[in-house]
Amino acid sequence: PAPYEIANLMLETMPNPPRINHATHVEPAYDPQSDLVLLPHLSQFESGTEYYATLFHELAHATGHATRLNRFGTTPGDRMERYSFEELVAEFCAAFLCAHTSINNPTSEALQASYIAGWSKALRSNPQMILRAASLAQRAADYIRGKVHGEELTIAA
């Protein structure tokens, strides 16, 4: 199957997915209060690869919800450190899912690498956090792929 078909099949297997709304004048976001992923329409992205990379990033955030992997309450640090850490998890997860689905685009990959590098600078004082973020991102990617269930995962503090 084509990469977008694989991505769509994968999304159908995600347990307990969040609602996904598309709108014309929005920035991509995940709202944990309403458990909602908000995205511009596919036609508003420069390419399908950019759409899916963005969707994967926002779905990665959604895996942190208490009804899924419950990652939000377990991350140590102040507000900025937790935000930086969560962004790093989401971008690693998006990169893993793009690789899994063979969705690749040099521009998207360069942006992902730059984004990961930028957030990792914020965590440079604790290099173990980057490894922990990659590990949690793999768990998030597995969850989205339907390969694990939230209750099976224990996240070490």
Side-chain angles (χ1 to χ4, degrees):
Y4 299 151
E5 290 175 46
I6 294 169
N8 289 326
L9 288 171
M10 179 185 68
L11 296 174
E12 290 175 16
T13 65
M14 180 180 178
N16 184 30
R19 288 180 303 127
I20 300 172
N21 286 355
H22 292 88
T24 304
H25 299 290
V26 298
E27 290 292 318
Y30 170 67
D31 177 12
Q33 307 314 92
S34 59
D35 194 26
L36 173 71
V37 169
L38 192 57
L39 289 171
H41 296 282
L42 173 62
S43 63
Q44 293 176 265
F45 285 84
E46 295 217 6
S47 68
T49 58
E50 290 179 22
Y51 171 83
Y52 280 98
T54 303
L55 174 60
F56 294 159
H57 178 99
E58 299 307 332
L59 286 175
H61 286 309
T63 66
H65 193 270
T67 62
R68 295 182 192 90
L69 301 180
N70 198 23
R71 186 174 55 250
F72 299 142
T74 63
T75 303
D78 66 26
R79 189 172 151 207
M80 187 59 185
E81 289 169 330
R82 288 191 309 270
Y83 177 77
S84 296
F85 182 78
E86 178 60 24
E87 288 299 319
L88 191 58
V89 169
E91 203 55 36
F92 270 128
C93 179
F96 295 160
L97 292 173
C98 283
H100 174 73
T101 57
S102 298
I103 290 174
N104 55 34
N105 172 308
T107 302
S108 295
E109 290 169 3
L111 288 171
Q112 285 173 329
S114 172
Y115 201 70
I116 289 168
W119 284 110
S120 67
K121 286 177 189 171
L123 299 168
R124 202 159 286 197
S125 64
N126 187 350
Q128 293 84 7
M129 293 294 278
I130 296 170
L131 295 175
R132 185 168 179 261
S135 175
L136 292 175
Q138 184 62 61
R139 288 181 178 188
D142 288 345
Y143 184 91
I144 291 167
R145 294 177 53 221
K147 298 296 181 189
V148 296
H149 299 287
E151 59 274 2
E152 294 175 359
L153 298 176
T154 55
I155 301 171

